[in-house]
Amino acid sequence: MYKILIIEDERAMLTGLRDNLEFEGYLVDTADRGDEGLKKLTTGEFDLVLLDVMLPGMSGFDVCKKARAGGIETPIILLTARGEELDRVLGLELGADDYVTKPFSLRELLARIKVILRRTKQTGAIPSPNNLVQIGLLQVSFDGYEAFREQTPVRMSHKEFEILHFLYRNAGRIVSRDDILDKVWGMDYQPSARTVDNFIVRLRDKIDTPDSQHIVTVHGIGYKLIL
Ligand code: CA
């Protein structure tokens, strides 16, 4: 049975999450302060952490940073506030695995928890290129140039596949628009950086939900795919 730690100071949110996760069959422990949460987290007994950013005692970012510095590899999903993109990027830089934006749907959060738990269970397993890989709501076969969203085939252009594949190979790393232009269009013909942005918009439509963004814009640099 999986153990999940919730670190959240809003009582209604904390109680709601705890009840729902317990209903789903998870063992749940909670903390309503950052410092207290870090103490529990460093016991290493949890399979996953839901971590609010704005917390008394110690911010979620510091909890994340200190846990990682202390060698704690427990997956962390940040609970961030809407519109704080910088927070999300920073959180991921500090070692968080994923984030949801408040207010999020419970279904979306539960799906993300399952994806992360499944991924950490098969550590080191690199998906075979023939297999479908999950990116947000999209399942993609890069070999077969096929994509599905909730069992329904999704039409994607060759270039969209190639851009997504490039981002996927570099998941978690920032890639510049120039990198994408070089790798996907090559040296012969290069459209403007604006074209890349347009493709990214189209990819986001296929991958993301309002609650979760997988292709993060890193202002002035480029993009980063978060799995
Ligand atoms: Ca809070």
Side-chain angles (χ1 to χ4, degrees), residues 152-218:
T152 309
V154 174
R155 288 169 63 99
M156 273 174 54
S157 71
H158 199 82
K159 284 278 181 280
E160 284 175 78
F161 272 109
E162 290 189 0
I163 292 171
L164 188 57
H165 198 187
F166 182 61
L167 289 170
Y168 181 74
R169 289 198 303 270
N170 290 284
R173 285 200 289 259
I174 297 168
V175 296
S176 69
R177 290 175 180 80
D178 284 341
D179 289 336
I180 295 173
L181 288 169
D182 278 352
K183 288 289 177 317
V184 176
W185 275 270
M187 303 310 267
D188 300 338
Y189 165 72
Q190 290 216 343
S192 72
R194 179 80 202 139
T195 309
V196 175
D197 296 339
N198 291 337
F199 272 97
I200 295 290
V201 169
R202 271 155 44 195
L203 283 172
R204 278 183 175 144
D205 281 344
K206 295 173 172 113
I207 295 169
D208 290 344
T209 67
D211 289 334
S212 78
Q213 213 187 18
H214 286 265
I215 302 176
V216 178
T217 304
V218 183

Side-chain angles (χ1 to χ4, degrees), residues 53 61 64 78 80-81 83-99 101 172-174 204 213-219 221-226:
V53 173
F61 291 143
C64 191
L78 283 179
T80 64
E84 293 175 6
E85 185 169 63
L86 193 66
D87 276 10
R88 297 197 286 271
V89 174
L90 180 60
L92 296 165
E93 294 288 333
L94 291 176
D97 296 83
D98 203 352
Y99 61 84
T101 306
R173 285 200 289 259
I174 297 168
R204 278 183 175 144
Q213 213 187 18
H214 286 265
I215 302 176
V216 178
T217 304
V218 183
H219 287 293
I221 306 174
Y223 297 100
K224 180 157 117 172
L225 178 69
I226 311 297

